[in-house]
Amino acid sequence: MKSSPDISADAATRPVLITGMPGSGKSVTGRVLAALLSAPFVDLDNLYLEVYDITPAAEIRKNGEASFRKRERALLKRALADDFSVIACGGGALASEDAMSLARRRGLVVLLEASLSTLEARLKDASNHPLLEGGKLGSRLASLLARRRRCYNLADVSVVTDRLSPMAAALAVREALAGYVLPRYRWSCYPPRFLRAGPGWQEFVELGERTH
């Protein structure tokens, strides 16, 4: 677990951004963390569909990754305008130095990590992941991670999610953020109602519709 003890004075009013590889648990962990912090939750994939009426995967397949990233960057800037929220980013949203720099200037970036074998087991195939198509899933994951690693390493904190439940992953993120002064985020130690009401909240991280 990586954590930065050096705190800036305005960290209290920053959004928390969740990034990481496909299969790391960004959406589900972000949603739980937001509930635990009593903060609004933004999923950039869902926001993309809402604004552009097309999923990220469909956009990449139709118009290419460059078109998608341009639109995604606009949505990232829009989401960062809210200084009190938890934002689940697509795995490539912060995979450029410019995007990561922007995110770290305006927010706190949390990297969720997992071993390649864990990512492959969670994803099972690349049917919802156009950037992982065209070869063996394990090899494609390794190649994608190699391209993104430099930027991922710039995250403020990191948490390994192998064999963690959504609740445990969110708690680990909260512990990693403990060195930051975040008075606007009200911490709750109780599982969110939507988790307690459904099966699996104590089980391993189950992924949503993350596509890229």
Side-chain angles (χ1 to χ4, degrees), residues 110-146:
V110 177
L111 171 66
L112 299 186
E113 300 192 85
S115 67
L116 288 173
S117 60
T118 294
L119 297 177
E120 186 173 6
R122 289 174 177 173
L123 295 174
K124 296 182 176 61
D125 60 53
S127 58
N128 290 321
H129 302 266
L131 299 183
L132 295 175
E133 295 174 345
K136 292 184 178 180
L137 180 57
S139 298
R140 296 290 293 172
L141 281 166
S143 177
L144 188 63
L145 177 58

Side-chain angles (χ1 to χ4, degrees), residues 2 49-50 57 66 79 86 94 102 114 153 159 179:
K2 169 189 171 185
L49 175 60
E50 177 184 330
V86 174
L94 306 185
L102 172 67
N153 285 345
V159 169

Side-chain angles (χ1 to χ4, degrees), residues 150-167:
R150 178 181 175 87
C151 290
Y152 281 170
N153 285 345
L154 298 175
D156 295 292
V157 301
S158 63
V159 169
V160 177
T161 67
D162 294 87
R163 299 188 64 80
L164 290 185
S165 70
M167 183 67 173

Side-chain angles (χ1 to χ4, degrees), residues 50-62:
E50 177 184 330
V51 172
Y52 298 116
D53 197 31
I54 188 172
T55 67
E59 174 70 26
I60 292 171
R61 290 190 173 103
K62 180 179 179 181

